[in-house]
Amino acid sequence: MNKKVAGIIGGIFVIAAGIALYTSANNKSSDSKSTSSTKVSGKVLSLGSTALQPLAEQVASSFQDKNPDVTVTVQGGGSGAGLSQVSDGSAQIGNSDVFAEEKEGVDASKLVDHKVAVVGIAPVVNSDVQISNISKTQLREIFTGKITNWKDVGGKDEKIVVINRATGSGTRAVFEKNILDGQNAVQATEQDSNGTVQKIVKTTPGAISYLAFAYLDADGIKALKLDNVKPSKANVEDNSWPIWAYEHMYTKGKATGATKAFLDYFSTKSVQKTIVPKLGYIGLTDMKVTRDSSGKVTDK
């Protein structure tokens, strides 16, 4: 009887071992297929907003290190160019500081919005300007041409040189929506990128413009407080600092292939909690408020 039981038990062990080996082989095969199926390749052109450009470039570099068969090219040109070129299929991703619904001539219904970060925008002046704070009303009157000398806002007797962003700039649209209250900007020198504006302001006595937070850390310029509120990450997060926008990466229809993989990488913890704040942007999960395309702000 004992021998018979032992034989039965032995047979069960043999069968179990066979099943285990079969399952293991299948799992390895499945893992192999899974690994090969997640490997991506291809080319992605991401262009538009220069406010988003430093972040997009850094994330693209990190993504390509992990996905050597993908080439991601990041270019500027402004939000208008980004939305236009993704709409006509010239680019896989259109980078924008504004909602597609806000941009005239763009059919937002054909685009899919991928929010990747939040950008703060601050008024900046040449370092020779002797003020550190300005009111919203004063800032509006400078950019609409009503105030033309720094002595009228507490500075020295010096002409104000306004440097504006070009038409089509998302950064300009965000600034004007939050500061000008529908009034027309004064005729002024216009530049099409944050980087160019930064260089002009730092080399032009009396100059004023506005830049994304990622461009504030430079010699020769200083950011102004607005109504005694400092342009900082914490103040953007709760809307104490009002000049901010989502950084959008639009695709024409649903993203696929290398484009989808690149956009998915943007939402990973390593990007949102490391690269995003390191470059002066604000992670989406850090925001305490949300803002819709009409400008309405609500608590999360």
Side-chain angles (χ1 to χ4, degrees):
M1 181 68 177
N2 287 342
K3 288 182 179 181
K4 187 174 180 181
V5 171
I8 292 171
I9 292 173
I12 292 172
F13 274 118
V14 169
I15 293 170
I19 292 172
L21 286 170
Y22 177 80
T23 302
S24 175
N26 272 349
N27 283 342
K28 287 179 180 178
S29 175
S30 176
D31 288 344
S32 175
K33 289 178 181 177
S34 175
T35 301
S36 62
S37 65
T38 57
K39 186 176 181 180
V40 291
S41 62
K43 295 181 179 181
V44 179
L45 174 58
S46 175
L47 62 82
S49 164
T50 60
L52 177 54
Q53 191 172 356
L55 177 60
E57 288 175 342
Q58 187 68 43
V59 175
S61 177
S62 177
F63 176 75
Q64 288 174 117
D65 286 343
K66 295 174 172 58
N67 299 274
D69 292 329
V70 178
T71 300
V72 180
T73 302
V74 178
Q75 297 176 355
S79 298
L83 291 169
S84 174
Q85 293 196 43
V86 75
S87 294
D88 67 21
S90 302
Q92 283 73 48
I93 298 174
N95 301 330
S96 176
D97 309 322
V98 297
F99 287 88
E101 291 87 344
E102 298 179 79
K103 187 62 68 174
E104 189 176 345
V106 173
D107 187 351
S109 68
K110 294 182 179 179
L111 301 179
V112 177
D113 186 6
H114 308 268
K115 298 183 185 72
V116 296
V118 167
V119 60
I121 297 166
V124 295
V125 294
N126 181 278
S127 57
D128 81 324
V129 174
Q130 297 176 350
I131 68 167
S132 58
N133 177 68
I134 196 166
S135 72
K136 181 179 178 180
T137 298
Q138 290 171 333
L139 188 60
R140 182 191 308 119
E141 292 188 345
I142 286 173
F143 275 88
T144 55
K146 295 180 178 67
I147 294 177
T148 59
N149 194 297
W150 285 113
K151 68 180 181 180
D152 296 328
V153 291
K156 62 184 179 181
D157 185 2
E158 181 180 32
K159 180 184 177 183
I160 296 174
V161 181
V162 174
I163 310 296
N164 211 344
R165 293 295 304 277
T167 302
S169 161
T171 304
R172 176 172 176 166
V174 173
F175 180 82
E176 292 187 346
K177 187 171 186 176
N178 286 277
I179 298 299
L180 299 194
D181 292 338
Q183 296 184 42
N184 293 324
V186 65
Q187 290 293 319
T189 298
E190 295 185 355
Q191 297 296 331
D192 63 0
S193 75
N194 279 267
T196 304
V197 167
Q198 182 194 67
K199 291 175 184 176
I200 293 176
V201 171
K202 70 187 292 185
T203 57
T204 306
I208 184 171
S209 191
Y210 44 90
L211 292 170
F213 281 10
Y215 293 85
L216 298 183
D217 187 18
D219 293 333
I221 66 170
K222 63 179 177 180
L224 299 179
K225 294 180 182 177
L226 185 63
D227 292 317
N228 292 308
V229 177
K230 182 180 179 181
S232 69
K233 175 180 181 291
N235 287 332
V236 169
E237 288 173 358
D238 65 7
N239 199 47
S240 295
W241 183 264
I243 319 173
W244 63 270
Y246 291 109
E247 291 292 30
H248 309 262
M249 299 183 86
Y250 279 97
T251 56
K252 188 175 183 179
K254 187 177 179 180
T256 59
T259 301
K260 182 180 186 303
F262 178 49
L263 291 169
D264 287 346
Y265 184 62
F266 253 99
S267 65
T268 62
K269 187 175 180 180
S270 63
V271 171
Q272 290 292 314
K273 296 296 185 182
T274 304
I275 300 177
V276 167
K278 181 181 178 182
L279 294 184
Y281 301 82
I282 296 98
L284 295 171
T285 57
D286 293 333
M287 292 296 293
K288 299 177 176 63
V289 298
T290 61
R291 178 183 280 165
D292 63 21
S293 60
S294 68
K296 182 181 179 182
V297 176
T298 56
D299 292 334
K300 275 189 174 181

